[in-house]
Amino acid sequence: MASVPVDVENKGSMWDLDHTLDQPMDEEAGRLRNMYQEKKFSAILVLRLAFQSLGVVFGDLGTSPLYVFHNTFPSRVEDLEDVVGALSLIIYSLTLIPLLKYVFVVLRANDNGQGGTFALYSLLCRHAKIITLPNQHRTDEQLTTYSRHTYDEGSLAAKVKKWLEAHAYKKNAILFLVLIGTCMAIGDGILTPAISVLSASGGIKVEDPKITNDVSTIVAVVILVGLFSIQHYGTNKVGWLFAPVVVLWFLLIGAIGALNIWKYDNSVLKAYNPVFIFRYFRRGKRNSWISLGGIMLSITGTEALFADLSYFPVLSIQIAFTLVVFPCLLLAYTGQAAYIVSHKGQAFDAFYRSIPDGIYWPTFIIATAAAVIASQATISATFSIIKQALALGCFPRVKVVHTSKNFLGQIYIPDINWVLMVLCIAVTAGFKNQSQIGNAYGTAVVTVMLVTTFLMIPIMLLVWRSHWILVFIFTGLSLLVELPYFSAMLFKIGQGGWVPLVIAAAFLAIMYIWHYGSVKRFEFESHSRVPMAWILGLGPSLGLVRVPGIGFVYTELANGVPHIFSHFITNLPAIHSVVVFVCVRYLPVHTVPMEERVLVKRIGPKNFHMFRCVARYGYKDHHTKDDDFEKLLFDSLCLFVRLESMMEGYSDSDEYSICEQRTRKSMNKSIDLLVTVGDSGNTLFSTLESGASSSLNSLMPSSGQASQRPGEELEFLNRCKEAGVVHILGNTIVRARRDSGIVKRIAVNYIYAFLRRICRENSVMFNVPHESLLNVGQIFYV
């Protein structure tokens, strides 16, 4: 650790001056720690949420029996043993992936109740410095919700952490992996409604063969439009509406399955012996391998279990799956297999043909409703994923509507909802064939599962600190199922599997370009920030007329004065009496408690009346129209002034008395240095020296200023607020240099510029009145 003070000393007195008058937020962050605890759920509430989760989370997984055997055996079944082998694969796929991997392992890797690939990423970022966003600060680690572990020097976790942090390409590779999983999950949100609703509406043709594909497609499109139109009511209301239907659906398919086993052929129960999986591959070889693309659809919807975790607690999902979903699915698939064994030529529409005649149309209605509900699972998951990506700087800012006052994770994103609807209708009307949509669907799902498996490896090592043998067993069992499915889906790329690749590529380009532009904007602001010496040289008036009022200057910097401020004061004749630099930051945590939301620090001497406010949010936090962001900042500012004055009043204060003494000594030393440098001919400091000697005298507050009563400054702040508040936003325009390549020019000058134009501004997100808004523009080239 001896290198730290040497490095600081080598940075010179200018660096010391900046950090003396614009101190980091460490002390303020330390004072704001509280005993925040996550909300606990009662047993009754857990059971109620388990019931609701059936209508939101499990619809996709529950409607898979509609199309699994349809896609596995698109033509006549030649060997009845193939049906038993396929059923055995379905049984053990459901056991290994949804039950063991997700319900009992992956769901535990949630980030304080948040699920999905970005939740895993944020969890990793807190335990290893792999986040690529440059605006991170050490005070983030003092948040009560910022949980992390320390590792022994020689432990496996410490070695893995060091290996991940060693090179930038490893950090970028992890981010790229997360973005791929996220984009494929979004593609899943488009394909699930298409295949579920189209499969359900296809039941009309089974009963009346005269009906064409066009009719069932039109019915599917009408249903989809209705589904996306009710999303604004929220998951809570939709869950209560859908849950009874899904419960009835699971009980119905379970009962029909049990009836078919008893009625047709109970010999299919031997499929619970995994030996038949080996026989299935030995007998069919290449055809059996390709048929995995259809069998894999039996576990689609599993990824929604994790992504939808923000809507429901882990225990409620575990209860619903183990007691209702899993046993009913096993009965449903086994019953269909029994029917196919007795009716070899009817594997194509096995689900509808295996329904007893007396309950066919009631089952058709319930199946259609369940298919609609299945779409709800992935739509809700897509909203959660987009919200997390947005908060971590990987997606353009869009409007997020929170639909429940009790559960913050239940959200609705209007823009994304309508984009999903248009793409979903395009896929449904374009293919009109559930086999091709199924191929596309399977490609998206298995890719998300693989991404989750790879991300779970460092999670188990760093976060859980599991033994490497357990990590090896988990990874081995997961890949044993997922890699064969993935290889089988490669044969289906030309038969519809290309669709999720195109969708994922489009969203990946949007996310990567937005992230790249955001990083470059921050790097520009960080490298071009204004030295404190220049600000001090202007004096308390900042070289302008200080007019009554408060100016909130928005910046992405948590330290230092942004370049946009110098652009502002060199082009305008006046500045407000109080200047507050506001930095809004999103952290890789699920939430930031209100008590720790805002950090405040004074910049420079008191008579400069300059402050810094850092507002911190997690990806679960939200801004509503009821929030008064301006009031939040002003109240935090007043509280800081009170606390600062109270601390100055005590002679035994550890924080402020020592800080004041250290500040005074450093300032005296820095001022002497300024005069010396100015005498040696430096332009900036020569101007400072000749500008006014009173500016130098004002750097040190007088004894009267130092002992100023808190009431006086608070009264001054209130007068300034009454005079008017202006929010100054920097509009930094990013352009590619003229010598840049054609790809970079298109990405930066057109795509990123377009995304910046259509995304929501901070003024809208924080409900800043339009009449109080002032935009200051600047252009920089990358």
Side-chain angles (χ1 to χ4, degrees):
M1 299 297 293
S3 60
V4 175
V6 173
D7 183 60
V8 171
E9 184 177 344
N10 290 340
K11 290 185 178 181
S13 298
M14 289 292 88
W15 184 90
D16 185 55
L17 175 65
D18 272 15
H19 279 250
T20 297
L21 299 179
D22 184 11
Q23 297 177 12
M25 293 289 187
D26 301 59
E27 296 176 2
E28 184 69 11
R31 280 194 292 274
L32 289 178
R33 281 186 69 95
N34 67 1
M35 297 302 293
Y36 174 82
Q37 293 183 348
E38 186 70 11
K39 182 180 179 181
K40 302 297 181 181
F41 296 96
S42 65
I44 296 176
L45 181 58
V46 167
L47 293 177
R48 195 192 90 184
L49 292 173
F51 173 75
Q52 273 188 276
S53 69
L54 289 170
V56 176
V57 177
F58 298 106
D60 186 9
L61 193 61
T63 53
S64 296
L66 284 171
Y67 45 78
V68 169
F69 281 111
H70 174 102
N71 287 273
T72 304
F73 302 111
S75 58
R76 182 182 177 86
V77 179
E78 299 297 335
D79 192 339
L80 297 181
E81 289 296 312
D82 288 345
V83 178
V84 177
L87 176 61
S88 187
L89 273 168
I90 292 172
I91 291 170
Y92 285 97
S93 295
L94 283 170
T95 303
L96 289 174
I97 301 300
L99 182 65
L100 296 182
K101 176 186 173 181
Y102 276 88
V103 172
F104 289 111
V105 179
V106 175
L107 289 187
R108 291 183 55 240
N110 65 87
D111 186 14
N112 292 92
Q114 302 295 301
T117 50
F118 264 106
L120 292 177
Y121 181 62
S122 68
L123 200 59
L124 269 180
C125 289
R126 296 205 301 273
H127 290 80
K129 296 178 181 178
I130 61 171
I131 192 166
T132 57
L133 291 176
N135 61 338
Q136 304 304 300
H137 198 269
R138 58 180 175 272
T139 56
D140 302 340
E141 301 175 9
Q142 298 183 20
L143 283 169
T144 52
T145 52
Y146 197 102
S147 57
R148 61 181 302 178
H149 299 302
T150 56
Y151 310 103
D152 296 332
E153 187 68 26
S155 65
L156 178 61
K159 294 177 181 177
V160 172
K161 180 176 182 291
K162 183 178 180 180
W163 183 81
L164 289 175
E165 296 174 349
H167 301 94
Y169 76 88
K170 296 175 184 176
K171 303 176 184 179
N172 292 327
I174 293 176
L175 177 63
F176 188 73
L177 184 68
V178 170
L179 292 181
I180 289 177
T182 301
C183 295
M184 283 294 184
I186 295 173
D188 186 15
I190 296 169
L191 296 169
T192 298
I195 189 172
S196 299
V197 175
L198 191 60
S199 299
S201 63
I204 302 176
K205 296 187 298 180
V206 175
E207 190 67 15
D208 188 355
K210 296 180 181 179
I211 296 177
T212 63
N213 279 338
D214 292 337
V215 175
S216 60
T217 301
I218 293 173
V219 172
V221 169
V222 172
I223 294 173
L224 289 171
V225 172
L227 170 66
F228 284 99
S229 298
I230 65 172
Q231 291 300 313
H232 67 277
Y233 288 109
T235 307
N236 192 41
K237 295 178 182 178
V238 171
W240 276 116
L241 176 65
F242 287 168
V245 179
V246 177
V247 171
L248 182 59
W249 166 255
F250 278 116
L251 295 177
L252 186 63
I253 63 174
I256 293 174
L259 177 64
N260 289 336
I261 295 171
W262 173 78
K263 183 178 179 181
Y264 295 112
D265 192 345
N266 60 11
S267 65
V268 295
L269 294 175
K270 60 186 180 182
Y272 286 81
N273 184 347
V275 171
F276 286 91
I277 297 176
F278 172 73
R279 293 180 181 177
Y280 179 69
F281 286 115
R282 185 181 63 181
R283 185 172 50 254
K285 295 183 179 178
R286 186 175 186 276
N287 290 334
S288 297
W289 196 267
I290 295 176
S291 69
L292 286 176
I295 296 172
M296 206 251 355
L297 297 178
S298 63
I299 57 176
T300 56
T302 304
E303 69 288 348
L305 290 178
F306 190 41
D308 279 329
L309 193 59
S310 61
Y311 296 86
F312 304 99
V314 173
L315 184 58
S316 65
I317 293 179
Q318 291 175 331
I319 291 173
F321 185 84
T322 54
L323 298 183
V324 179
V325 178
F326 186 64
C328 290
L329 286 176
L330 292 182
L331 286 173
Y333 286 116
T334 307
Q336 282 191 53
Y339 176 84
I340 294 172
V341 168
S342 300
H343 304 77
K344 290 201 301 183
Q346 297 181 6
F348 188 78
D349 293 312
F351 176 80
Y352 280 112
R353 294 186 183 277
S354 66
I355 299 173
D357 293 337
I359 60 171
Y360 181 85
W361 286 112
T363 304
F364 169 76
I365 294 173
I366 295 173
T368 304
V372 173
I373 296 164
S375 309
Q376 181 63 45
T378 50
I379 293 171
S380 302
T382 303
F383 291 158
S384 296
I385 289 170
I386 293 294
K387 174 68 166 61
Q388 294 172 3
L390 186 153
L392 292 176
C394 294
F395 201 83
R397 293 185 296 270
V398 291
K399 182 179 181 180
V400 178
V401 179
H402 287 255
T403 57
S404 174
K405 295 182 178 179
N406 299 321
F407 306 102
L408 293 180
Q410 298 185 359
I411 60 175
Y412 164 67
I413 305 179
D415 299 333
I416 299 300
N417 182 65
W418 303 123
V419 169
L420 291 179
M421 186 188 76
V422 171
L423 293 176
C424 185
I425 292 175
V427 170
T428 304
F431 281 109
K432 303 179 184 179
N433 185 327
Q434 57 176 295
S435 294
Q436 288 185 319
I437 299 177
N439 295 336
Y441 187 25
T443 305
V445 171
V446 73
T447 305
V448 177
M449 290 180 178
L450 282 171
V451 169
T452 302
T453 299
F454 291 133
L455 289 177
M456 281 298 297
I457 296 173
I459 289 289
M460 295 180 74
L461 290 172
L462 294 180
V463 182
W464 294 351
R465 290 180 283 188
S466 302
H467 196 279
W468 68 268
I469 295 179
L470 295 177
V471 179
F472 179 79
I473 293 173
F474 170 82
T475 307
L477 289 177
S478 298
L479 295 181
L480 181 65
V481 179
E482 293 164 359
L483 285 180
Y485 282 141
F486 181 76
S487 64
M489 296 313 302
L490 294 178
F491 291 100
K492 303 291 184 78
I493 289 180
Q495 305 170 28
W498 58 270
V499 174
L501 300 180
V502 172
I503 295 173
F507 278 96
L508 181 63
I510 291 173
M511 288 185 171
Y512 183 80
I513 291 172
W514 180 263
H515 181 265
Y516 174 82
S518 300
V519 169
K520 290 301 179 182
R521 286 178 65 243
F522 178 83
E523 289 178 351
F524 169 76
E525 288 201 18
S526 180
H527 295 157
S528 61
R529 55 187 175 186
V530 180
M532 276 302 301
W534 185 77
I535 298 293
L536 293 174
L538 298 176
S541 67
L542 298 179
L544 304 170
V545 177
R546 301 292 290 265
V547 297
I550 299 178
F552 289 111
V553 182
Y554 289 80
T555 175
E556 295 186 12
L557 298 178
N559 283 308
V561 178
H563 180 265
I564 199 74
F565 184 68
S566 65
H567 184 68
F568 178 77
I569 63 177
T570 53
N571 288 276
L572 293 177
I575 192 68
H576 299 88
S577 300
V578 177
V579 176
V580 182
F581 295 101
V582 180
C583 175
V584 180
R585 301 181 58 240
Y586 291 91
L587 310 182
V589 297
H590 71 293
T591 186
V592 177
M594 281 301 299
E595 297 85 353
E596 304 176 61
R597 175 67 44 85
V598 181
L599 300 179
V600 182
K601 204 71 178 177
R602 190 185 296 276
I603 299 178
K606 285 188 176 182
N607 56 354
F608 275 61
H609 299 299
M610 296 173 63
F611 302 88
R612 181 184 311 284
C613 289
V614 178
R616 306 179 294 180
Y617 293 86
Y619 54 78
K620 186 179 176 182
D621 297 326
H622 67 288
H623 318 290
T624 65
K625 292 182 179 179
D626 299 329
D627 289 337
D628 191 337
F629 188 65
E630 180 182 301
K631 183 177 184 300
L632 174 67
L633 295 177
F634 184 77
D635 290 345
S636 301
L637 196 61
C638 292
L639 178 61
F640 169 79
V641 171
R642 291 193 192 96
L643 290 175
E644 183 187 47
S645 300
M646 289 171 60
M647 299 303 287
E648 287 177 349
Y650 291 97
S651 59
D652 59 348
S653 170
D654 291 333
E655 293 183 355
Y656 274 93
S657 61
I658 296 175
C659 179
E660 284 288 327
Q661 294 170 9
R662 186 168 61 246
T663 301
R664 289 173 180 271
K665 291 179 180 178
S666 300
M667 286 174 63
N668 284 326
K669 178 180 177 181
S670 302
I671 292 169
D672 293 338
L673 178 66
L674 282 174
V675 175
T676 304
V677 176
D679 291 338
S680 65
N682 184 286
T683 304
L684 173 63
F685 301 119
S686 296
T687 304
L688 182 151
E689 182 187 15
S690 60
S693 59
S694 60
S695 297
L696 289 176
N697 294 330
S698 66
L699 297 181
M700 278 295 297
S702 63
S703 58
Q705 290 173 327
S707 60
Q708 184 181 22
R709 289 178 299 177
E712 296 178 2
E713 189 166 11
L714 289 175
E715 184 180 351
F716 174 74
L717 290 175
N718 282 307
R719 287 199 308 269
C720 291
K721 183 184 179 184
E722 292 173 0
V725 176
V726 175
H727 297 261
I728 305 169
L729 271 66
N731 185 16
T732 303
I733 300 174
V734 183
R735 287 284 184 269
R737 290 194 298 265
R738 293 182 179 180
D739 57 347
S740 301
I742 183 67
V743 175
K744 184 175 181 179
R745 289 204 302 271
I746 292 175
V748 175
N749 294 349
Y750 296 98
I751 300 178
Y752 182 73
F754 174 74
L755 294 175
R756 286 275 295 171
R757 282 196 298 270
I758 65 174
C759 77
R760 302 186 85 209
E761 295 291 343
N762 281 332
S763 58
V764 178
M765 294 177 63
F766 296 105
N767 306 296
V768 176
H770 185 71
E771 59 274 10
S772 302
L773 186 62
L774 176 63
N775 276 296
V776 181
Q778 61 180 349
I779 300 176
F780 82 97
Y781 296 88
V782 295

